[in-house]
Amino acid sequence: MYELLKGGWIMFPLGICSIVAITVIIERFFFFRRIQATALAEKVLKMVEGQHMDEAQAIAGQSSLPLIKVLAAGINNRLHPAKAMEAAGITEMSAMRRGLPVLDTIVTLSPLLGLLGTIIGMINSFQIMAVSGIGQPHAVTGGVAEALIATATGITVAVIALIPYNYFLARIERETEKIEHYATRLEIALTTPPVKE
């Protein structure tokens, strides 16, 4: 910890970036972990296909999962299910993307802060060299060490944020495809007239 503080004042904004990144990563991880809803979606579709609309509406209406909320919008607006599900889908996409712009900013900002720390450290080294000459190598290397610590920290924070950020983007894409798939199936089920026996 003490070694990190040698990176200069730039370590404080980098520390804030790392805390914010870890907070967003943990929150999004648990969010995506709990939104697995394929089995429930199949159950709702089977009820709609079997013309058990009230039961399907009751089950879908109680869920807070994005996929089921989109299906609930279609069931509740049977005259225009496609438009209703599209509107609900836009809302759910926004909820899934929450926090990701912050991670994206941290991925870009952290290396730049590290580079700023590098420049400041090198400036300090040259100032010491200008004042005392090259007779104090320890004073000069202290500024170089400050520069390298800031750079390494900035890159580390960016890498820590980048991997989960790309994972969350992939999950959003998969969830979007899943929502489109089930929404299309529900629309077909709602617009297909029941088979008379």
Side-chain angles (χ1 to χ4, degrees):
M1 184 68 182
Y2 175 70
E3 290 298 319
L4 285 177
L5 292 177
K6 287 182 179 178
W9 65 267
I10 205 75
M11 298 303 289
F12 290 104
L14 283 171
I16 292 168
C17 284
S18 64
I19 291 167
V20 171
I22 289 168
T23 303
V24 171
I25 289 164
I26 291 170
E27 189 274 330
R28 289 289 89 186
F29 173 77
F30 284 110
F31 173 82
F32 283 109
R33 189 175 173 189
R34 74 171 180 81
I35 63 169
Q36 304 287 345
T38 308
L40 187 56
E42 288 289 348
K43 185 177 180 181
V44 170
L45 278 173
K46 291 257 189 300
M47 287 179 177
V48 171
E49 287 165 358
Q51 296 299 309
H52 303 294
M53 293 297 184
D54 293 337
E55 291 176 48
Q57 196 168 7
I59 290 173
Q62 292 171 357
S63 179
S64 63
L65 302 173
L67 171 57
I68 307 303
K69 283 167 87 171
V70 171
L71 296 183
I75 295 168
N76 292 333
N77 299 277
R78 289 170 220 168
L79 292 175
H80 305 286
K83 293 291 182 186
M85 288 188 287
E86 185 180 342
I90 291 168
T91 303
E92 295 309 315
M93 290 301 112
S94 295
M96 282 193 270
R97 288 192 181 98
R98 191 173 57 241
L100 294 190
V102 174
L103 274 187
D104 189 24
T105 302
I106 289 171
V107 167
T108 307
L109 181 63
S110 296
L112 294 176
L113 287 173
L115 182 60
L116 179 61
T118 300
I119 293 166
I120 291 168
M122 296 307 289
I123 289 170
N124 291 341
S125 294
F126 285 119
Q127 283 177 338
I128 292 167
M129 197 182 296
V131 171
S132 62
I134 56 171
Q136 293 184 356
H138 293 296
V140 175
T141 56
V144 175
E146 179 182 324
L148 294 176
I149 289 169
T151 303
T153 305
I155 292 170
T156 302
V157 172
V159 168
I160 287 170
L162 179 63
I163 295 169
Y165 174 73
N166 284 333
Y167 168 74
F168 294 143
L169 285 182
R171 280 299 306 271
I172 289 170
E173 193 173 328
R174 282 207 306 272
E175 288 300 321
T176 303
E177 289 170 0
K178 197 186 295 182
I179 287 170
E180 288 174 357
H181 169 76
Y182 280 100
T184 302
R185 285 178 59 189
L186 178 63
E187 188 181 354
I188 292 167
L190 288 170
T191 55
T192 303
V195 179
K196 294 179 181 178
E197 295 182 0

